[in-house]
Amino acid sequence: MLVNQNNIDALAWDKMDNLIPAIIQHAATGAVLMQGYMNQASLTATLTTGKATFFSRSKQALWVKGETSGNFLEVQQVLTDCDNDSLLIACTPIGPSCHLGTESCFPEQKLTQQNFLSQLEQVIEQKKGEDPKESYTAHLFSRGTTKMAQKVGEEGVEVALAAVAETKEDLLGECADLFYHTLVLLADQKIELSEVMAVLQERHKK
């Protein structure tokens, strides 16, 4: 069930002394970032402000993730499970989610290969402002849209040639180049990978 201000009371608050575990998931990659607890007040604050807000069992008080570090969790969606006694919250993290400085409190988890594209998309975005002399990605951005589009075209041709005249390893390498340069072009145009995926999903329905 999609959780909103109108159905908070429908959650099973009585099971755990008015607390519900909340699993925080990266909205883009699907990675599990952290787990905390929410009461009705913190969930209301989360839905109202758009920033993940938890209930601290040790301090017996509400706390906004990032209120001291600046590493906020911007909420995209709040779901509850079939028993209405736990929450799955999709967030866009601003900085590391773990107090130890790692992206996730579960740093050993392995993302699926498909989700790695979303992770790469974020890395590309972060490198926009770096020194073009030090970062190939930043160098691509510095050349402008026309050059980036031209590069994608070149990589597309190289993929086609590799498919008919080269080895499997060559084709894999050229496909990787094409995917990467396409993500750079999308970032330049301020288009998220999720928007492309939405088009594919809509076509699949037809």
Side-chain angles (χ1 to χ4, degrees), residues 6-187:
N6 296 321
N7 58 19
I8 290 179
D9 290 340
L11 300 178
W13 298 105
D14 57 329
K15 285 189 177 182
M16 291 183 61
D17 194 25
N18 291 317
L19 291 178
I20 285 183
I23 300 167
I24 306 300
Q25 183 180 44
H26 197 300
T29 69
V32 176
L33 299 178
M34 62 170 288
Q35 184 260 326
Y37 290 88
M38 292 185 175
N39 60 9
Q40 294 190 36
S42 64
L43 179 55
T44 297
T46 295
L47 294 170
T48 302
T49 65
K51 290 183 171 59
T53 303
F54 301 91
F55 179 79
S56 171
R57 292 172 297 168
S58 58
K59 297 180 180 179
Q60 289 293 296
L62 302 188
W63 64 282
V64 180
K65 172 63 179 173
E67 60 187 352
T68 56
S69 65
N71 299 328
F72 295 101
L73 293 168
E74 296 184 346
V75 176
Q76 307 300 322
Q77 185 183 64
V78 181
L79 298 173
T80 185
D81 69 346
C82 55
D83 293 321
N84 291 337
D85 60 3
S86 64
L87 299 171
L88 179 64
I89 304 179
C91 293
T92 300
I94 307 301
S97 296
C98 182
H99 71 285
L100 297 178
T102 55
E103 180 181 343
S104 166
C105 293
F106 307 91
E108 292 81 13
Q109 68 180 307
K110 295 184 182 300
L111 295 178
T112 65
Q113 290 177 321
Q114 291 86 345
N115 283 344
F116 176 72
L117 279 178
S118 294
Q119 187 177 24
L120 180 58
E121 178 183 37
Q122 295 172 62
V123 172
I124 289 171
E125 188 67 31
Q126 292 168 3
K127 289 186 174 294
K128 269 186 177 181
E130 293 187 4
D131 186 347
K133 296 180 181 179
E134 301 293 332
S135 166
Y136 175 68
T137 302
H139 170 70
L140 289 174
F141 282 113
S142 71
R143 299 181 68 196
T145 302
T146 300
K147 290 293 185 181
M148 275 186 274
Q150 180 181 343
K151 185 64 176 175
V152 170
E154 293 172 357
E155 296 298 343
V157 171
E158 290 177 8
V159 166
L161 291 175
V164 297
E166 299 181 23
T167 66
K168 175 182 177 181
E169 288 69 25
D170 292 327
L171 177 58
L172 289 173
E174 296 299 347
C175 285
D177 289 343
L178 178 59
F179 286 7
Y180 163 75
H181 286 92
T182 300
L183 285 176
V184 173
L185 183 60
L186 289 174

